[in-house]
Amino acid sequence: MVTIREKHSRAIRWCHWLNFPLLTLLVWSGILIYWANPAYVPLSDSVSKTLMINNKLAVGLGWHFALAWFFIVNGIVYLAYLMISGEWRELVPERSSFREALLVTAHDLRLRKEAPPQKGKLNGAQRIAYTAVLLLSAGAVLSGVAIWKPVQLSWLTEALGGYEAARLEHFVFMVLISGFFLVHVAQVIRAGWNNLRAMLVGYEVVENGTDEKNL
């Protein structure tokens, strides 16, 4: 028996898809800022010029600051929806999530034949990963603000260890978020069309009364 059921609300889908171009362009503009000086570009002059990632400080700053506000607003809307709708309960890790995450990881690595039974929309590994990326995003915003206004917000900059520490933390947050993004895309491809369709239109197809693996 095949049934169609709602999986993702419109608010979740919109915030999710807005993050896709925003994060991509934020990483791109961040690279322009970090590698504005040719001395810091880990590529040859010909390659960096071909990719147009050197001597682009003004371009990088302009794009980064403009996009950051959209990213922040989108994040606030997403968090507000989670709180108001109560869907945060589906996202925050539970006491059993860490054990379940180990079993899910073992299944993904083909060390375990069957996936552990899933309760709710997300499994334990997803709860941990999605909560972690929210915390990483908050860290990226705070560290970004700290290096943007190190004098006016000196208390925040100092709390993060000083300007250079905040700058490094901002870079590390970007790398970790990018890593999550790449793994997430790989998992989407691995899981198949049903999960992607659910994030596009909000509904999933369930066959024989069993749940497919969520993303």
Side-chain angles (χ1 to χ4, degrees), residues 6 19 29 42 46 55 60 62 73 76 79 118 123 138 149 161 164 166 177 184 202 204 209 214:
E6 185 176 7
N19 269 334
S29 58
S46 59
N55 298 317
V73 170
I76 292 173
L79 290 175
Q118 182 168 317
N123 62 44
K149 296 289 186 180
E164 290 300 328
I177 293 172
H184 183 59
E204 68 175 348
N214 293 317

Side-chain angles (χ1 to χ4, degrees), residues 19 22 65-75:
N19 269 334
L22 286 174
F65 289 150
L67 294 165
W69 291 113
F70 287 101
F71 181 72
I72 292 170
V73 170
N74 190 48

Side-chain angles (χ1 to χ4, degrees), residues 1-60:
M1 179 179 179
V2 176
T3 59
I4 298 176
R5 69 181 182 188
E6 185 176 7
K7 183 175 181 181
H8 298 299
S9 66
R10 183 176 298 177
I12 293 293
R13 287 182 284 124
W14 284 13
C15 290
H16 178 275
W17 288 111
L18 278 174
N19 269 334
F20 180 80
L22 286 174
L23 284 172
T24 301
L25 292 173
L26 280 169
V27 170
W28 165 74
S29 58
I31 290 174
L32 295 185
I33 296 171
Y34 272 91
W35 293 345
N37 189 330
Y40 296 112
V41 180
L43 302 170
S44 65
D45 289 342
S46 59
V47 173
S48 61
K49 289 178 180 178
T50 300
L51 298 176
M52 296 183 292
I53 60 174
N54 62 331
N55 298 317
K56 300 288 184 179
L57 180 59
V59 175

